[in-house]
Amino acid sequence: MERLVLFRAWFLAALVAAASANFLSDVEITWGDGRGKILENGNLLQLTLDRASGSGFQSKQEYLFGRFDMKMKLVPGNSAGTVTTYYVIHLSPTADDGTVVSVSCVLELSSQGPTHDEIDFEFLGNASGEPYVLHTNVYSQGKGDREQQFYLWFDPRLAFHTYSILWNPQQIVFYVDGTPIRVFRNSESLGVPYPKNQAMRLYASLWDGDDWATRGGLVKTDWSQAPFVASYQGYAADACVSSAGRPSCLPSRGNWWDQGLDSGAVQKLKWVRDNYMIYDYCRDTKRFPQGFPPECSTPRN
């Protein structure tokens, strides 16, 4: 898709977010009454949930387009009822003995207000021995309902893994450890709003999601296993900082502005969709008996 001349004009400005971020200087813990902690000289951030409250943080900067990476490690054990999101908002902590935990951890990019834009990862916990569900969604001008869900090909509780969002004027790409799992293309030509005008912050939070996270809320949190802790490190934002509502970037920005998927990435995306996708709103005929949303007609890679 051709760039708009207006976008080109915006890029005459000369401010770009640092690619390598530090939690002490680049985020702020916004709620939780001390349950969120920045450790190891700003290289590690932990969010805690107990019966009284969860916790969360957000980026200090607002962005219009960029590449965002976060390493996350989910709490081990039974994670039923938990959710983790990446707004660039849920993490699924659990216990080791098969008891149920119903908490939600979110990591996302989001603007504010009734017509907000949002791009998010969510991890839906499950009973011990069952895989986490990775839930993704895209909101534009306040409209979401664009869910795709996946199993992961590894256990996200055992080590840190990198979850990334590429957001440029042409498309949004979700990555796990560098492997693309989802593409949402700019389909404005079909009348579908696309996130491009509202600056967004990165948000992460850990909270109780047992009213819906596992089996539609049938499985509840086992508070005897609290507190639950989600861990974050390796935050990187190679992104355009919002300045007066416009993206302000250096000419030396990364290649994400024009980045698409090469043939190798297309094959990886197909591998994920063929082997690990468990829900796609663009295939849900019961939900859309009169026909799928218009963006579902665009190429899926």
Side-chain angles (χ1 to χ4, degrees):
M1 183 180 297
E2 295 183 359
R3 301 182 199 172
L4 297 176
V5 174
L6 181 59
F7 285 154
R8 288 193 180 120
W10 286 352
F11 271 69
L12 295 177
L15 181 63
V16 65
S20 180
N22 180 282
F23 288 121
L24 284 172
S25 59
D26 295 294
V27 309
E28 54 187 353
I29 296 173
T30 50
W31 64 284
D33 194 22
R35 291 173 177 81
K37 298 182 183 300
I38 298 175
L39 308 168
E40 299 181 5
N41 297 317
N43 294 313
L44 176 68
L45 192 152
Q46 292 185 332
L47 297 180
T48 299
L49 167 72
D50 57 29
R51 185 179 285 275
S53 177
S55 51
F57 67 90
Q58 69 180 40
S59 63
K60 293 180 180 179
Q61 296 280 11
E62 291 185 308
Y63 305 101
L64 269 171
F65 307 119
R67 163 89 183 220
F68 305 87
D69 302 280
M70 183 76 77
K71 294 182 178 179
M72 301 168 56
K73 184 179 180 182
L74 307 190
V75 179
N78 187 321
S79 58
T82 70
V83 184
T84 305
T85 67
Y86 180 11
Y87 301 78
V88 202
I89 140 177
H90 303 298
L91 179 65
S92 304
T94 58
D96 288 321
D97 59 357
T99 53
V100 170
V101 180
S102 294
V103 302
S104 173
C105 181
V106 173
L107 184 57
E108 71 185 0
L109 281 169
S110 182
S111 58
Q112 300 295 315
T115 60
H116 76 291
D117 296 334
E118 180 181 317
I119 307 165
D120 62 63
F121 280 100
E122 302 182 10
F123 292 86
L124 310 183
N126 214 327
S128 291
E130 298 296 325
Y132 278 81
V133 172
L134 173 54
H135 177 99
T136 65
N137 206 347
V138 176
Y139 285 75
S140 52
Q141 296 185 18
K143 183 185 185 314
D145 301 326
R146 301 184 176 103
E147 303 92 344
Q148 290 184 359
Q149 295 183 341
F150 308 83
Y151 287 141
L152 293 167
W153 50 96
F154 55 83
D155 189 336
R157 305 166 302 171
L158 301 182
F160 282 94
H161 291 270
T162 303
Y163 304 92
S164 307
I165 293 171
L166 169 71
W167 169 37
N168 64 29
Q170 295 80 36
Q171 60 190 347
I172 296 163
V173 185
F174 295 75
Y175 293 89
V176 176
D177 286 341
T179 295
I181 66 166
R182 178 178 183 177
V183 177
F184 182 83
R185 297 189 182 282
N186 185 332
S187 299
E188 290 180 298
S189 62
L190 301 176
V192 180
Y194 184 79
K196 69 175 188 181
N197 295 319
Q198 299 188 77
M200 294 198 271
R201 296 182 190 271
L202 181 140
Y203 295 84
S205 60
L206 175 61
W207 44 276
D208 176 21
D210 73 357
D211 58 341
W212 69 277
T214 302
R215 296 180 60 196
L218 294 177
V219 183
K220 301 300 183 181
T221 302
D222 181 357
W223 290 107
S224 70
Q225 304 301 315
F228 308 113
V229 180
S231 299
Y232 303 78
Q233 66 181 23
Y235 169 43
D238 183 3
C240 299
V241 174
S242 175
S243 177
R246 296 180 175 182
S248 188
C249 313
L250 287 174
S252 59
R253 64 182 180 271
N255 65 356
W256 54 263
W257 178 260
D258 292 311
Q259 184 177 339
L261 299 184
D262 60 22
S263 58
V266 169
Q267 288 301 311
K268 290 180 179 179
L269 177 65
K270 183 178 185 301
W271 172 76
V272 172
R273 292 179 61 86
D274 289 347
N275 294 282
Y276 295 98
M277 175 177 275
I278 58 174
Y279 178 79
D280 182 358
Y281 76 108
C282 284
R283 298 176 180 175
D284 192 340
T285 55
K286 291 184 179 180
R287 185 174 172 188
F288 300 105
Q290 304 304 316
F292 296 120
E295 68 269 20
C296 296
S297 65
T298 62
R300 312 311 303 280
N301 55 36

